[in-house]
Amino acid sequence: MVTSWNRPTTLTVNKKAIQFNIEQELKRLQPGQEVFAVVKANGYGHGAIEIAKLALEEGVSGFCVSNIDEAIELREAGILLPILILGVITPSLAPLAQQYDLTVAVASKEWLTEVIANDELDTIRAPLKLHLKIDTGMHRIGFYDVEDFVTSVELVESQPRLIYEGVFTHFATADEADDTYFSQQAQCFNQFIEKSPVKPKYIHCANSATAFWHQACPSNIIRLGIGLYGLNPSGKALDMPFELQPAASLTTELVFVKELQAGDKVSYGATYEAKSNEWLGTLPIGYADGWNRHLQGFKVLVDGQFCEIVGRVCMDQCMIRLPKHYPVGTPVTLIGENSGQVITADDVAEHLQTISYEVLCDIGARIPRRYV
Ligand SMILES: Cc1ncc(COP(=O)(O)O)c(C=O)c1O
């Protein structure tokens, strides 16, 4: 994928906002707690390496990614802090993880048995660090059976090539007002921890939402994801207990402007018809950039005014109705602030009936990231 540096469409990442958000969380830490910055999925679209380097300067203790390739990308960029892979890696890749000094999630006894049988795991290198994942109610990955978990801890403890460094879980409803299911999961996690024959260095359960709204829940790693990027994990459902600053803004420029005559139709399917003579602007962003087709009818900002996206969003372009003539080159804000008005990733998410996470992750590789 070639990044379109010469097209005016840009995702601008405000480094000060990232720094501010990390500081906000660091200030709230209880003794013994550390922040691991979650930079999976290219740092939620913001750029994994750049965000990791910024977070490192701000004093985070490690990183979380989703898979081994994302972890290796960070190592090859010179990041030396601990990197925890949250997803399941293929067991045969355990030696590769050890080679790169990565920390790996263990979700089953079968996975562990396969890794132990692999004689490519090195006895000379530092042992492979493991965090056992407990399925307390997400039913995605993790130990569900306490006996399996206990046997697995014992197995790890018997292996000089492995270290039982952590145990963790993930909550399904930490971002909701009703904490019934959250409490059940927390209770289940405690039951597993009590049964653990050895207590590892790290016992953790806190994503952003857990850290923000369930501070009492013991977790010595805060896996800070969406909060790092300045967004409320609940969207607009729960009030943030402290301020965050959204780091990303998505902007472009008018690349073509024309006056439609009443009755003229716009874009594929001719789904929009001008009711009277009106000004139409074309933006160089489309669904191939993650600007979803369902954003037809949503708004962008031009000169501090909300302008409707009219007609179908195309692969590389979309059209907006302008209140008057604006010249080619006029700045357009899709996410962010423009002359005092703001469109947030949560506004976009609300229109798409999704969450800000998806909006940000969808912003395509074709769009350059600029750091200011
Ligand atoms: C296991 C795990 N921990 C932490 C996070 C970070 O979550 P958030 O971005 O809500 O802070 C995620 C995100 O998907 C996750 O899957």
PDB file of all heavy atoms in Angstrom, residues 11-29:
ATOM      1  N   LEU A  11      -4.227  12.425   8.472  1.00  0.00           N
ATOM      2  CA  LEU A  11      -4.573  12.199   9.876  1.00  0.00           C
ATOM      3  C   LEU A  11      -3.473  12.862  10.706  1.00  0.00           C
ATOM      4  O   LEU A  11      -2.317  12.445  10.647  1.00  0.00           O
ATOM      5  CB  LEU A  11      -4.649  10.705  10.202  1.00  0.00           C
ATOM      6  CG  LEU A  11      -5.157  10.441  11.624  1.00  0.00           C
ATOM      7  CD1 LEU A  11      -6.675  10.531  11.676  1.00  0.00           C
ATOM      8  CD2 LEU A  11      -4.723   9.081  12.131  1.00  0.00           C
ATOM      9  N   THR A  12      -3.855  13.900  11.420  1.00  0.00           N
ATOM     10  CA  THR A  12      -2.865  14.616  12.236  1.00  0.00           C
ATOM     11  C   THR A  12      -2.974  14.125  13.669  1.00  0.00           C
ATOM     12  O   THR A  12      -4.070  14.063  14.234  1.00  0.00           O
ATOM     13  CB  THR A  12      -3.123  16.135  12.173  1.00  0.00           C
ATOM     14  OG1 THR A  12      -3.084  16.510  10.793  1.00  0.00           O
ATOM     15  CG2 THR A  12      -2.060  16.908  12.934  1.00  0.00           C
ATOM     16  N   VAL A  13      -1.824  13.741  14.221  1.00  0.00           N
ATOM     17  CA  VAL A  13      -1.809  13.256  15.603  1.00  0.00           C
ATOM     18  C   VAL A  13      -1.110  14.296  16.470  1.00  0.00           C
ATOM     19  O   VAL A  13       0.046  14.646  16.210  1.00  0.00           O
ATOM     20  CB  VAL A  13      -1.094  11.886  15.696  1.00  0.00           C
ATOM     21  CG1 VAL A  13      -1.058  11.409  17.145  1.00  0.00           C
ATOM     22  CG2 VAL A  13      -1.778  10.858  14.800  1.00  0.00           C
ATOM     23  N   ASN A  14      -1.833  14.763  17.458  1.00  0.00           N
ATOM     24  CA  ASN A  14      -1.322  15.789  18.368  1.00  0.00           C
ATOM     25  C   ASN A  14      -0.541  15.089  19.495  1.00  0.00           C
ATOM     26  O   ASN A  14      -1.122  14.446  20.367  1.00  0.00           O
ATOM     27  CB  ASN A  14      -2.521  16.574  18.914  1.00  0.00           C
ATOM     28  CG  ASN A  14      -2.094  17.675  19.841  1.00  0.00           C
ATOM     29  OD1 ASN A  14      -0.980  17.695  20.363  1.00  0.00           O
ATOM     30  ND2 ASN A  14      -2.993  18.607  20.056  1.00  0.00           N
ATOM     31  N   LYS A  15       0.781  15.230  19.433  1.00  0.00           N
ATOM     32  CA  LYS A  15       1.635  14.528  20.396  1.00  0.00           C
ATOM     33  C   LYS A  15       1.366  14.991  21.823  1.00  0.00           C
ATOM     34  O   LYS A  15       1.413  14.201  22.756  1.00  0.00           O
ATOM     35  CB  LYS A  15       3.108  14.781  20.053  1.00  0.00           C
ATOM     36  CG  LYS A  15       3.519  14.216  18.703  1.00  0.00           C
ATOM     37  CD  LYS A  15       4.991  13.937  18.676  1.00  0.00           C
ATOM     38  CE  LYS A  15       5.763  15.013  17.976  1.00  0.00           C
ATOM     39  NZ  LYS A  15       7.198  14.724  17.851  1.00  0.00           N
ATOM     40  N   LYS A  16       1.065  16.295  21.954  1.00  0.00           N
ATOM     41  CA  LYS A  16       0.794  16.838  23.305  1.00  0.00           C
ATOM     42  C   LYS A  16      -0.425  16.152  23.929  1.00  0.00           C
ATOM     43  O   LYS A  16      -0.469  15.922  25.129  1.00  0.00           O
ATOM     44  CB  LYS A  16       0.523  18.343  23.223  1.00  0.00           C
ATOM     45  CG  LYS A  16       1.765  19.177  23.019  1.00  0.00           C
ATOM     46  CD  LYS A  16       1.769  20.339  24.035  1.00  0.00           C
ATOM     47  CE  LYS A  16       3.128  20.999  24.130  1.00  0.00           C
ATOM     48  NZ  LYS A  16       3.474  21.794  22.959  1.00  0.00           N
ATOM     49  N   ALA A  17      -1.413  15.838  23.090  1.00  0.00           N
ATOM     50  CA  ALA A  17      -2.618  15.173  23.611  1.00  0.00           C
ATOM     51  C   ALA A  17      -2.266  13.778  24.118  1.00  0.00           C
ATOM     52  O   ALA A  17      -2.716  13.365  25.201  1.00  0.00           O
ATOM     53  CB  ALA A  17      -3.687  15.113  22.523  1.00  0.00           C
ATOM     54  N   ILE A  18      -1.457  13.061  23.360  1.00  0.00           N
ATOM     55  CA  ILE A  18      -1.048  11.712  23.801  1.00  0.00           C
ATOM     56  C   ILE A  18      -0.297  11.826  25.136  1.00  0.00           C
ATOM     57  O   ILE A  18      -0.572  11.072  26.082  1.00  0.00           O
ATOM     58  CB  ILE A  18      -0.139  11.044  22.732  1.00  0.00           C
ATOM     59  CG1 ILE A  18      -0.889  10.855  21.404  1.00  0.00           C
ATOM     60  CG2 ILE A  18       0.472   9.732  23.236  1.00  0.00           C
ATOM     61  CD1 ILE A  18      -1.838   9.697  21.332  1.00  0.00           C
ATOM     62  N   GLN A  19       0.621  12.785  25.198  1.00  0.00           N
ATOM     63  CA  GLN A  19       1.400  12.967  26.433  1.00  0.00           C
ATOM     64  C   GLN A  19       0.477  13.323  27.597  1.00  0.00           C
ATOM     65  O   GLN A  19       0.599  12.759  28.687  1.00  0.00           O
ATOM     66  CB  GLN A  19       2.437  14.087  26.232  1.00  0.00           C
ATOM     67  CG  GLN A  19       3.563  13.640  25.323  1.00  0.00           C
ATOM     68  CD  GLN A  19       4.355  14.809  24.739  1.00  0.00           C
ATOM     69  OE1 GLN A  19       3.900  15.943  24.728  1.00  0.00           O
ATOM     70  NE2 GLN A  19       5.552  14.516  24.249  1.00  0.00           N
ATOM     71  N   PHE A  20      -0.465  14.222  27.329  1.00  0.00           N
ATOM     72  CA  PHE A  20      -1.412  14.650  28.361  1.00  0.00           C
ATOM     73  C   PHE A  20      -2.222  13.450  28.876  1.00  0.00           C
ATOM     74  O   PHE A  20      -2.376  13.259  30.091  1.00  0.00           O
ATOM     75  CB  PHE A  20      -2.346  15.718  27.779  1.00  0.00           C
ATOM     76  CG  PHE A  20      -3.433  16.177  28.704  1.00  0.00           C
ATOM     77  CD1 PHE A  20      -3.183  17.156  29.647  1.00  0.00           C
ATOM     78  CD2 PHE A  20      -4.719  15.638  28.623  1.00  0.00           C
ATOM     79  CE1 PHE A  20      -4.192  17.593  30.497  1.00  0.00           C
ATOM     80  CE2 PHE A  20      -5.722  16.063  29.472  1.00  0.00           C
ATOM     81  CZ  PHE A  20      -5.464  17.045  30.421  1.00  0.00           C
ATOM     82  N   ASN A  21      -2.700  12.637  27.968  1.00  0.00           N
ATOM     83  CA  ASN A  21      -3.548  11.502  28.369  1.00  0.00           C
ATOM     84  C   ASN A  21      -2.765  10.505  29.222  1.00  0.00           C
ATOM     85  O   ASN A  21      -3.293   9.952  30.189  1.00  0.00           O
ATOM     86  CB  ASN A  21      -4.135  10.812  27.131  1.00  0.00           C
ATOM     87  CG  ASN A  21      -5.007  11.765  26.328  1.00  0.00           C
ATOM     88  OD1 ASN A  21      -5.599  12.688  26.893  1.00  0.00           O
ATOM     89  ND2 ASN A  21      -5.067  11.563  25.017  1.00  0.00           N
ATOM     90  N   ILE A  22      -1.512  10.279  28.855  1.00  0.00           N
ATOM     91  CA  ILE A  22      -0.688   9.352  29.656  1.00  0.00           C
ATOM     92  C   ILE A  22      -0.448   9.951  31.046  1.00  0.00           C
ATOM     93  O   ILE A  22      -0.602   9.265  32.063  1.00  0.00           O
ATOM     94  CB  ILE A  22       0.645   9.041  28.949  1.00  0.00           C
ATOM     95  CG1 ILE A  22       0.379   8.286  27.643  1.00  0.00           C
ATOM     96  CG2 ILE A  22       1.571   8.220  29.850  1.00  0.00           C
ATOM     97  CD1 ILE A  22       1.585   8.075  26.777  1.00  0.00           C
ATOM     98  N   GLU A  23      -0.117  11.243  31.057  1.00  0.00           N
ATOM     99  CA  GLU A  23       0.122  11.899  32.365  1.00  0.00           C
ATOM    100  C   GLU A  23      -1.116  11.786  33.252  1.00  0.00           C
ATOM    101  O   GLU A  23      -1.009  11.532  34.447  1.00  0.00           O
ATOM    102  CB  GLU A  23       0.434  13.387  32.168  1.00  0.00           C
ATOM    103  CG  GLU A  23       1.885  13.658  31.819  1.00  0.00           C
ATOM    104  CD  GLU A  23       2.076  15.057  31.255  1.00  0.00           C
ATOM    105  OE1 GLU A  23       1.232  15.944  31.511  1.00  0.00           O
ATOM    106  OE2 GLU A  23       3.073  15.252  30.524  1.00  0.00           O
ATOM    107  N   GLN A  24      -2.283  11.989  32.643  1.00  0.00           N
ATOM    108  CA  GLN A  24      -3.526  11.923  33.419  1.00  0.00           C
ATOM    109  C   GLN A  24      -3.658  10.560  34.091  1.00  0.00           C
ATOM    110  O   GLN A  24      -4.063  10.469  35.240  1.00  0.00           O
ATOM    111  CB  GLN A  24      -4.751  12.146  32.505  1.00  0.00           C
ATOM    112  CG  GLN A  24      -4.911  13.539  31.979  1.00  0.00           C
ATOM    113  CD  GLN A  24      -5.369  14.514  33.053  1.00  0.00           C
ATOM    114  OE1 GLN A  24      -4.574  14.933  33.894  1.00  0.00           O
ATOM    115  NE2 GLN A  24      -6.630  14.891  33.039  1.00  0.00           N
ATOM    116  N   GLU A  25      -3.319   9.495  33.368  1.00  0.00           N
ATOM    117  CA  GLU A  25      -3.455   8.161  33.948  1.00  0.00           C
ATOM    118  C   GLU A  25      -2.326   7.890  34.949  1.00  0.00           C
ATOM    119  O   GLU A  25      -2.572   7.321  36.016  1.00  0.00           O
ATOM    120  CB  GLU A  25      -3.485   7.094  32.837  1.00  0.00           C
ATOM    121  CG  GLU A  25      -3.770   5.683  33.308  1.00  0.00           C
ATOM    122  CD  GLU A  25      -4.986   5.535  34.241  1.00  0.00           C
ATOM    123  OE1 GLU A  25      -6.025   6.185  33.992  1.00  0.00           O
ATOM    124  OE2 GLU A  25      -4.883   4.772  35.231  1.00  0.00           O
ATOM    125  N   LEU A  26      -1.122   8.320  34.618  1.00  0.00           N
ATOM    126  CA  LEU A  26       0.006   8.084  35.536  1.00  0.00           C
ATOM    127  C   LEU A  26      -0.256   8.736  36.900  1.00  0.00           C
ATOM    128  O   LEU A  26       0.069   8.167  37.937  1.00  0.00           O
ATOM    129  CB  LEU A  26       1.313   8.637  34.947  1.00  0.00           C
ATOM    130  CG  LEU A  26       1.927   7.847  33.774  1.00  0.00           C
ATOM    131  CD1 LEU A  26       3.154   8.571  33.209  1.00  0.00           C
ATOM    132  CD2 LEU A  26       2.310   6.432  34.179  1.00  0.00           C
ATOM    133  N   LYS A  27      -0.907   9.914  36.868  1.00  0.00           N
ATOM    134  CA  LYS A  27      -1.201  10.634  38.122  1.00  0.00           C
ATOM    135  C   LYS A  27      -2.131   9.841  39.035  1.00  0.00           C
ATOM    136  O   LYS A  27      -2.141  10.035  40.225  1.00  0.00           O
ATOM    137  CB  LYS A  27      -1.903  11.975  37.793  1.00  0.00           C
ATOM    138  CG  LYS A  27      -0.946  13.094  37.443  1.00  0.00           C
ATOM    139  CD  LYS A  27      -1.611  14.455  37.592  1.00  0.00           C
ATOM    140  CE  LYS A  27      -2.666  14.689  36.540  1.00  0.00           C
ATOM    141  NZ  LYS A  27      -2.966  16.056  36.166  1.00  0.00           N
ATOM    142  N   ARG A  28      -2.970   8.999  38.408  1.00  0.00           N
ATOM    143  CA  ARG A  28      -3.984   8.268  39.183  1.00  0.00           C
ATOM    144  C   ARG A  28      -3.501   6.913  39.679  1.00  0.00           C
ATOM    145  O   ARG A  28      -4.240   6.202  40.353  1.00  0.00           O
ATOM    146  CB  ARG A  28      -5.212   8.029  38.291  1.00  0.00           C
ATOM    147  CG  ARG A  28      -6.025   9.257  38.003  1.00  0.00           C
ATOM    148  CD  ARG A  28      -6.940   9.043  36.819  1.00  0.00           C
ATOM    149  NE  ARG A  28      -7.602   7.754  36.773  1.00  0.00           N
ATOM    150  CZ  ARG A  28      -8.802   7.500  37.269  1.00  0.00           C
ATOM    151  NH1 ARG A  28      -9.494   8.448  37.836  1.00  0.00           N
ATOM    152  NH2 ARG A  28      -9.333   6.294  37.159  1.00  0.00           N
ATOM    153  N   LEU A  29      -2.286   6.513  39.292  1.00  0.00           N
ATOM    154  CA  LEU A  29      -1.841   5.161  39.638  1.00  0.00           C
ATOM    155  C   LEU A  29      -1.742   4.960  41.146  1.00  0.00           C
ATOM    156  O   LEU A  29      -1.325   5.857  41.865  1.00  0.00           O
ATOM    157  CB  LEU A  29      -0.476   4.863  39.002  1.00  0.00           C
ATOM    158  CG  LEU A  29      -0.398   4.738  37.478  1.00  0.00           C
ATOM    159  CD1 LEU A  29       0.986   4.291  37.063  1.00  0.00           C
ATOM    160  CD2 LEU A  29      -1.456   3.786  36.947  1.00  0.00           C
TER     161      LEU A  29
END
